[in-house]
């Protein structure tokens, strides 16, 4: 088989048994790989009402046909039912695990049941072992990585693991890998902890064959040229090449959408210290990226040379960090950012969810709704970095006030009450992330209808395409009017745009490939991806086939949630974004006109606007008649 | 007229500074670019395409006029007013 | 592009400070040799001490002996940072000195060299 490995690895943690299954043809043709594979399996095998932290839930790591080739880069998907939302949860991560898994010979790892004591999984090509992990339980991320390298005698193992936050079943935990890579928030790591699976380590000695090498190389070149430094004609590419997402905060602050102090403001007074050029000068030692990334340095290897954190080394200052652990909590110290990134990485704590919880607590404290009696004496004022660090540890170990916070901002606000629910920022129970919806209305719609909850990465990065780079025939076939759809603070065309963004992202998450590199012509024109896929696998796919697969995936994800009781009432935003305009800056004075965009979204989707459920006709068109019957879809 | 020039990223590295105010004889974006080129030779090579005839789509230029929201500009004939600020990235 | 100024034969060099350890060169080399993406079929491997930021390409290849690479070594062409260079020894030494000096005014030279092919 070309492209796909052709094998699903099933791991029964209860019985400590491993078995390998052939990858079904139907799954390849209709769901492609990665995220597509995972939702089909989750829908088929995890019944409605299953306890996310119990043995009935499944944890799925999956990759696609282009992984193991340079187009796949490091991208992979982890999927489960979330203990935080009660709905479908999916996370994407990078690093080096994805190609290694493909070279070991697998398209998916499906973890089932529940071990009775801590274990880890060791995959070396065809040899798969479930090994004792009692000596690893409790270890931080770097301790776990070190211990595994020594125990397995190989410094080049690729890894996925949880830290104390996941072990203690916090919904603010995240799955980590290769020390600095992360993906799988919203309780995914808690599911892993509940299964008592501490880690997965993999080594693969195989490779990937492509069906038509010369044609595949041409397709790769076509995609790559769009994002190479010298040949790109897209304005977001060259900044990304050098600075990764470090350039974003200034740009977003200039737009008035830099989420500050629990989204009370869109301007951050500390922005000058966050200039990418200064971070490059003062902290970057050298470049870092995932496997086969064509950028010079999307991530960075960093060192602090002066001040209280002198000698500290770390990897990866991203825009999200600069907001979650920066403007959101009122801290403007880049050296401290490197430090807290290390702290949260070590604990296996998701700084994004954690930042939302911390910001909520700070707003509550400053309003007198929380006092030092509640907070174990911590002075939770915006800007108190030491308090943020203390909270990170308390949450990860469920100590004191940390136990109130560890399950996420929705439950924390329910526990505390006193009106703090009004500014607990979440959607469907998933803690808010860092893009300001009042600055970008389409993101408001995204956050509201996203089936995992408040997560921004399930659409493209929110910058408009350069339409002059796209063939006119492709632009004419777009299901929205680009002249209106990319006007950021207008509700027009957003329903149609967001449907297209979700569907195309589902394709990228199934090939898999990296959305950071989905710029230039290929942001809009999927012909080169279809070419790459066809020439790699030897099976013909056109762009329309890909769009259909993307749409099928998103509909099945929605159907999973409908089966768990989701409806239109869950497609909403925190009231802050619906009722409180930003007070100053380039995005001030407006709120998100959600209802209008929602109606247009459901219409574009072919979903019933009263319930938010896919209509039977839509599901049938996508080959999902059985799903239509199961969820009682209306015509 | 006096125009503010703000440089980000590769333009910052080329110009060696984040900001300066320069006198522009003339009134269009093209005129402002010529002033930047004279001050920092090689500026146009970074900014333009088509043999120097158009701003490359690989770059962004933003215009901030007092009292007005910041807007992207690319047309070389864009008229400027005294006190405008241009951001290059 | 190789510069033959008469001081010697160009060789493949790797500047470790620019290597981000991404394996693109490894993959490209294996594909050039075998039409497959397979670490074992590459003449390059990367020595990593990732936690310390160390990545060193180890190359065992004379591009003259590889038809596709004689004019332009494919590994050099694939590298997004300019870490891999096909040059004469003295010319390369000059390039490195300029890179090092240039890093003060242009910190981006820490991650990408001005001579990068792509």
């Amino acid at each position: 088989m070309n492209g796909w490995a052709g094998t699903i690895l099933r791991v029964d943690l209860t019985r400590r048994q491993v078995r390998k299954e052939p990858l079904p043809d139907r799954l390849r043709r209709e769901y492609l790989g990665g995220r597509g594979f995972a939702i089909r399996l989750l829908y088929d095998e995890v019944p409605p009402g299953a306890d996310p932290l119990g043995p009935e839930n499944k944890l799925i790591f999956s990759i696609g046909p282009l992984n193991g080739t340079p187009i796949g880069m490091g991208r992979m998907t982890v999927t489960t039912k979330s203990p935080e939302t009660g709905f479908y949860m999916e996370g994407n991560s990078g690093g080096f695990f994805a190609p290694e898994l493909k070279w070991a010979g697998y398209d998916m790892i499906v973890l089932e049941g529940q071990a009775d004591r801590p274990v880890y999984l060791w995959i070396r090509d065809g040899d798969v072992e479930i090994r004792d992990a009692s000596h690893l339980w409790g270890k931080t991320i770097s301790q776990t990585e070190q211990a595994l390298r020594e125990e397995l005698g190989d410094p080049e193992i690729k890894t996925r693991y949880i830290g104390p936050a996941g072990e203690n079943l916090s919904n603010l935990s995240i799955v980590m890998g290769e020390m600095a890579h992360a993906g799988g928030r919203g309780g995914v790591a808690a599911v892993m902890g509940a299964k008592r699976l501490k880690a997965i380590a993999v080594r693969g000695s195989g490779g990937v064959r492509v069906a038509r090498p010369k044609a595949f190389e041409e397709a790769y070149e076509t995609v790559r040229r769009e994002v190479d430094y010298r040949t790109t004609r897209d304005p977001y590419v060259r900044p990304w090449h050098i600075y990764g997402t470090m350039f974003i905060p200034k740009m977003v602050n200039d737009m008035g959408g830099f989420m500050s102090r629990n989204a009370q403001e869109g301007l951050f007074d500390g922005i000058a210290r966050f200039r990418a050029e200064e971070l490059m000068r003062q902290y970057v030692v050298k470049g870092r990226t995932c496997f086969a990334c064509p950028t010079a340095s999307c991530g960075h290897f960093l060192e602090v040379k002066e001040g209280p954190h002198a000698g500290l080394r770390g990897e990866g200052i991203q825009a999200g960090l600069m907001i979650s652990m920066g403007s959101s909590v009122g801290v403007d110290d880049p050296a401290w950012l490197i430090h807290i990134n290390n702290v949260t990485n070590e604990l296996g704590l998701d700084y994004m969810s954690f930042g939302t919880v911390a910001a909520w607590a700070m707003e509550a404290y400053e309003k007198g709704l929380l006092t030092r009696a509640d907070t174990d004496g911590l002075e939770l004022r915006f800007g108190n970095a030491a308090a943020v660090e203390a909270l990170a540890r308390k949450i990860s170990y469920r100590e004191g006030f940390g136990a109130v916070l560890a399950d996420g901002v929705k439950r924390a606000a329910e526990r505390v009450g006193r009106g703090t629910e009004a500014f607990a920022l979440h959607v469907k129970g998933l803690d808010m992330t860092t893009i300001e919806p009042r600055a970008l209305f389409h993101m408001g719609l995204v956050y509201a209808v996203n089936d995992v909850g408040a997560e921004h990465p399930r659409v493209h990065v929110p910058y408009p395409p350069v339409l002059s780079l796209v063939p006119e025939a492709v632009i004419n076939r777009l299901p929205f009017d680009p002249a209106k759809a990319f006007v950021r603070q207008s509700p027009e065309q957003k329903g149609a745009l967001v449907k297209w963004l979700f569907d195309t992202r589902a394709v990228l998450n199934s090939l898999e490939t990296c959305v950071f590199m989905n710029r230039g012509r290929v942001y809009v024109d999927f012909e080169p991806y279809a070419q790459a896929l066809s020439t790699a696998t030897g099976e013909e796919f056109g762009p329309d086939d890909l769009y259909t697969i993307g749409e099928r995936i998103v509909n099945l994800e929605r159907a999973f949630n409908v089966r768990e009781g989701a409806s239109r009432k869950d497609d909403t935003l925190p009231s802050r974004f619906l009722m409180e305009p930003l007070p100053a800056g380039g995005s001030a004075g407006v709120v998100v006109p959600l209802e209008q965009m929602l109606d247009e979204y459901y219409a574009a989707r072919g979903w019933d606007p009263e319930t938010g459920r896919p209509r039977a006709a839509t599901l049938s068109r996508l080959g999902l008649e059985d799903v239509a019957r199961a969820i009682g879809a209306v015509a | 007229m006096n125009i503010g020039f703000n440089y980000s990223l590769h333009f910052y590295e080329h110009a060696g500074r984040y900001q300066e105010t320069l006198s522009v004889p003339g009134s269009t974006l093209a005129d402002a670019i010529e002033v930047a080129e004279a001050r920092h030779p090689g500026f146009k090579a970074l900014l333009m395409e088509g043999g120097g005839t158009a701003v490359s789509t690989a770059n962004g230029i933003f215009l901030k006029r007092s009292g007005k929201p910041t807007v992207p500009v690319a047309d070389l004939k864009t008229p400027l007013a005294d006190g405008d600020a241009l951001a290059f990235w | 592009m190789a510069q033959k100024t008469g001081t010697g034969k160009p060789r493949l060099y790797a500047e470790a400070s620019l290597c981000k350890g991404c394996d693109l060169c490894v993959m490209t080399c294996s594909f050039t040799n075998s039409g497959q993406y397979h670490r074992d079929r590459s003449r390059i491997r990367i020595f990593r001490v990732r936690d310390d930021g160390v990545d060193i390409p180890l190359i065992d290849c004379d591009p003259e002996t590889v038809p596709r690479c004689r004019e332009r070594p494919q590994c050099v062409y694939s590298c997004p940072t300019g870490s891999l260079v096909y040059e004469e020894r003295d010319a390369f030494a000059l390039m490195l000195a300029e890179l090092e000096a240039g890093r003060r005014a242009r910190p981006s030279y820490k991650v990408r060299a001005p001579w990068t092919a792509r």
Side-chain angles (χ1 to χ4, degrees):
Chain A
M1 192 176 293
N2 294 312
W4 296 281
T7 303
I8 300 173
L9 181 65
R10 285 198 185 261
V11 180
D12 182 338
L13 293 166
T14 310
R15 292 187 196 75
R16 301 250 186 148
Q17 283 169 6
V18 166
R19 67 183 195 284
K20 297 167 196 173
E21 285 173 9
L23 186 68
D25 287 348
R26 174 204 178 208
L27 209 55
R28 295 187 291 114
R29 286 290 329 168
E30 295 179 13
Y31 295 90
L32 200 52
R35 181 172 147 191
F37 282 178
I39 184 54
R40 186 74 238 191
L41 227 98
L42 198 79
Y43 179 89
D44 287 339
E45 299 183 14
V46 177
D51 176 11
L53 296 175
E56 271 192 306
N57 195 8
K58 303 206 177 187
L59 182 66
I60 303 165
F61 290 86
S62 55
I63 56 177
L66 296 184
N67 283 106
T69 79
I71 300 186
M73 295 177 233
R75 291 287 132 199
M76 58 183 285
T77 301
V78 63
T79 306
T80 195
K81 179 177 173 181
S82 164
E84 193 176 20
T85 65
F87 294 144
Y88 156 78
M89 183 58 60
E90 171 255 322
N92 195 284
S93 61
F96 292 78
F97 192 95
E100 200 81 28
L101 184 64
K102 177 63 72 71
W103 297 334
Y106 306 100
D107 302 292
M108 274 195 275
I109 308 171
V110 183
L111 299 144
E112 307 170 331
Q114 194 168 50
D116 59 356
R117 50 189 178 282
V119 296
Y120 75 91
L121 192 66
W122 169 219
I123 302 169
R124 191 175 45 188
D125 293 332
D127 295 330
V128 182
E129 284 177 58
I130 303 173
R131 293 168 70 119
D132 178 46
S134 333
H135 57 299
L136 300 176
W137 203 255
K139 284 192 189 303
T140 65
I141 293 306
S142 68
Q143 289 168 347
T144 305
E145 173 85 32
Q146 234 6 81
L148 285 172
R149 288 179 192 171
E150 282 169 24
E151 188 168 317
L152 300 173
D154 189 343
E156 286 286 321
I157 53 169
K158 309 301 185 280
T159 47
R160 285 297 182 264
Y161 29 47
I162 60 174
E167 290 173 2
N168 291 315
L169 308 184
S170 168
N171 288 326
L172 304 182
S173 59
I174 195 162
V175 178
M176 298 292 300
E178 287 97 61
M179 296 285 279
H181 292 273
R185 52 190 288 259
V188 173
V191 170
M192 199 159 157
K195 291 188 180 309
R196 298 194 183 86
L197 177 66
K198 176 66 175 174
I200 304 175
V202 65
R203 277 290 256 160
S205 67
V208 173
R209 297 177 171 282
V210 295
R212 285 149 52 200
K214 193 164 183 321
F216 180 78
E217 191 182 27
E218 279 169 27
Y220 172 67
E221 279 296 314
T222 303
V223 176
R224 180 154 178 191
R225 256 182 268 120
E226 296 297 317
V227 298
D228 272 335
Y229 198 93
R230 287 186 188 279
T231 53
T232 188
R233 296 180 63 223
D234 185 309
Y236 296 97
V237 171
R238 288 196 295 182
W240 215 297
H241 249 276
I242 307 296
Y243 300 95
T245 59
M246 294 199 302
F247 76 94
I248 289 170
K250 172 171 163 36
M251 192 180 74
V252 169
N253 196 71
D254 286 348
M255 197 174 70
F258 197 49
M259 209 175 253
S260 294
R261 292 183 165 78
N262 202 33
Q264 295 182 82
E265 291 144 34
L267 293 173
F268 185 48
D269 45 21
I271 192 66
R273 299 192 67 189
F274 283 179
R275 274 203 84 131
E277 301 91 337
E278 290 306 305
L279 297 175
M280 174 65 69
R281 177 190 308 282
Q282 290 178 38
Y283 301 107
V284 173
V285 172
K286 65 178 295 197
R288 269 271 179 271
T289 68
C290 299
F291 172 74
C293 177
T295 73
S297 187
C298 170
H300 303 90
F301 191 79
L302 310 148
E303 193 176 335
V304 180
K305 297 198 174 71
E306 299 166 337
H309 299 290
L312 189 64
R313 295 174 132 184
E315 193 172 322
I317 295 187
Q318 297 283 347
L321 179 74
M322 293 155 81
I323 298 168
S324 295
M325 296 283 100
S327 55
S328 241
V329 293
V331 179
D332 69 351
D333 180 355
W336 184 82
L337 278 185
I338 297 172
H339 168 67
I340 199 65
N341 190 33
N342 285 358
V343 169
T344 53
N345 281 355
E346 284 286 29
L347 294 167
L349 189 67
D350 169 35
Y351 63 63
M352 221 163 252
S353 297
F354 167 51
T356 299
V357 171
W360 164 84
M362 288 170 158
E363 182 172 346
Y365 188 93
E366 290 204 350
K367 287 182 158 133
L369 301 171
L370 282 173
T371 68
R372 296 175 72 167
D374 300 304
T375 67
D376 306 333
L378 288 177
E379 180 123 15
L380 289 184
R381 299 200 169 279
F382 286 108
N384 189 345
V388 172
E389 184 169 343
L391 278 184
R393 297 183 205 279
K394 282 176 184 287
I395 285 168
S396 301
Y397 295 98
R398 287 191 179 272
E399 286 166 2
F401 187 50
V404 174
L405 305 179
D407 296 318
V409 76
K410 175 173 187 258
R411 297 217 198 134
E414 282 165 3
R415 287 179 182 134
V416 167
R418 307 173 200 161
T420 61
E421 299 94 323
F423 48 86
L425 304 180
H426 69 87
V427 179
K428 300 181 173 71
L430 182 64
D431 315 81
M432 189 64 189
T433 69
T434 52
I435 301 186
E436 174 53 69
R438 291 161 290 188
L440 291 163
F441 284 179
H442 85 280
M443 287 307 300
L445 181 59
V446 166
Y447 279 126
V449 302
N450 200 340
D451 281 300
V452 302
E455 172 95 323
H456 60 277
R458 283 161 50 92
V459 289
H460 299 257
V461 287
Y463 317 123
V466 183
L467 292 172
S468 61
L469 306 179
V470 182
E472 202 174 318
V474 175
I475 295 181
N476 291 340
R477 296 191 64 213
L478 284 174
F480 55 86
D481 176 0
K484 296 189 177 143
F486 294 108
V487 177
R488 65 183 180 92
Q489 283 178 315
S490 155
E492 283 198 74
Q493 293 288 300
K494 297 300 184 286
L497 171 67
V498 167
K499 173 189 182 292
W500 184 84
L501 288 172
F502 270 124
D503 292 350
T504 48
R505 175 81 190 232
V507 174
L508 299 173
N509 288 154
S510 301
L511 289 170
E512 301 208 26
T513 190
C514 182
V515 298
F516 283 174
M517 288 292 96
N518 173 238
R519 293 300 315 174
R521 168 189 166 197
V522 294
Y523 182 114
V524 178
D525 181 7
F526 272 46
E527 172 65 36
Y529 289 124
Q531 271 301 300
L533 182 61
S534 304
T535 56
T537 62
E539 301 189 20
E540 285 308 302
F541 288 87
D544 287 344
D545 298 316
L546 295 182
Y547 294 142
T548 302
I549 291 172
E551 191 183 6
R552 178 179 299 127
I553 290 169
V554 178
N555 274 269
L556 191 55
E557 290 165 351
R558 173 58 56 133
F560 183 94
N561 282 3
V562 167
R563 252 185 9 184
E564 300 288 355
S567 69
R568 180 177 178 138
K569 67 167 174 29
D570 302 294
D571 290 342
T572 186
L573 283 174
S575 60
R576 172 151 291 169
F577 303 123
L578 298 174
M579 290 170 34
E580 298 171 32
L582 287 164
S587 298
V590 297
V591 294
V592 180
L594 182 60
E595 293 304 302
Q596 169 185 354
M597 295 193 292
L598 261 185
D599 288 331
E600 189 189 305
Y601 180 73
Y602 293 139
R605 277 265 170 234
W607 292 358
D608 170 31
E610 271 189 43
T611 60
R613 296 175 174 224
R615 292 182 187 280
T618 301
L619 294 170
S620 294
R621 176 169 56 78
L622 297 166
L624 297 172
E625 291 87 353
D626 54 331
V627 173
R629 277 191 297 277
I631 67 168
V634 303
Chain B
M1 52 179 68
N2 286 330
I3 303 291
F5 289 73
N6 296 292
Y7 306 114
S8 286
L9 311 178
H10 39 288
F11 294 106
Y12 160 73
E13 287 199 345
H14 183 75
R17 71 206 63 211
Y18 289 122
Q19 203 276 334
E20 61 190 350
T21 302
L22 299 174
S23 171
V24 176
S27 59
T28 66
L29 179 60
D31 297 325
I33 291 170
E34 289 303 327
V35 169
E37 170 67 23
R39 192 135 162 75
H40 308 290
F43 188 82
K44 281 175 75 171
L46 275 184
L47 182 65
M48 314 290 273
E49 63 188 11
T53 55
V55 177
S56 170
T57 54
N59 295 311
I61 307 178
F62 289 84
L63 170 63
K64 179 86 185 83
R65 180 162 296 164
S66 176
K68 295 254 160 84
T70 304
V71 291
V73 293
D75 186 342
L76 291 172
K77 298 195 282 300
T78 304
L80 302 177
D82 187 45
D84 280 353
L86 292 167
F88 296 88
W89 65 275
Chain C
M1 203 56 183
Q3 306 284 322
K4 284 191 158 83
T5 63
T7 61
K9 182 173 136 66
R11 295 188 50 206
L12 281 172
Y13 290 101
E15 169 50 25
S17 71
L18 286 171
C19 179
K20 59 189 170 88
C22 70
D23 278 346
L24 255 174
C25 55
V26 177
M27 289 296 108
T28 303
C29 179
S30 102
F31 189 76
T32 302
N33 288 335
S34 70
Q36 288 182 47
Y37 294 105
H38 194 143
R39 247 185 323 228
D40 294 347
R41 286 160 176 66
S42 174
R43 297 179 195 205
I44 308 175
R45 64 180 191 89
I46 312 287
F47 173 73
R48 266 183 272 263
V49 185
R50 200 159 172 85
D51 310 340
D52 290 336
V54 171
D55 305 271
I56 304 175
L58 305 170
I59 311 171
D60 179 16
C61 175
D62 178 357
E64 292 279 307
T65 65
V66 184
R68 278 199 81 189
C69 294
R70 261 185 222 125
E71 272 308 300
R72 180 171 72 180
Q74 293 297 299
C75 58
V76 173
Y77 182 59
S78 76
C79 179
T81 68
S83 172
L84 295 185
V85 173
Y86 187 47
E87 257 309 341
E88 294 175 288
R89 184 199 62 198
D90 293 348
F92 181 51
L94 275 173
M95 288 160 69
L96 278 188
E98 280 177 21
L99 182 75
E100 194 52 47
R103 279 173 171 165
R104 208 159 307 121
R106 292 166 187 264
S108 69
Y109 281 13
K110 286 187 272 189
V111 306
R112 183 177 177 275
W115 61 71
T116 300
R118 306 190 75 134

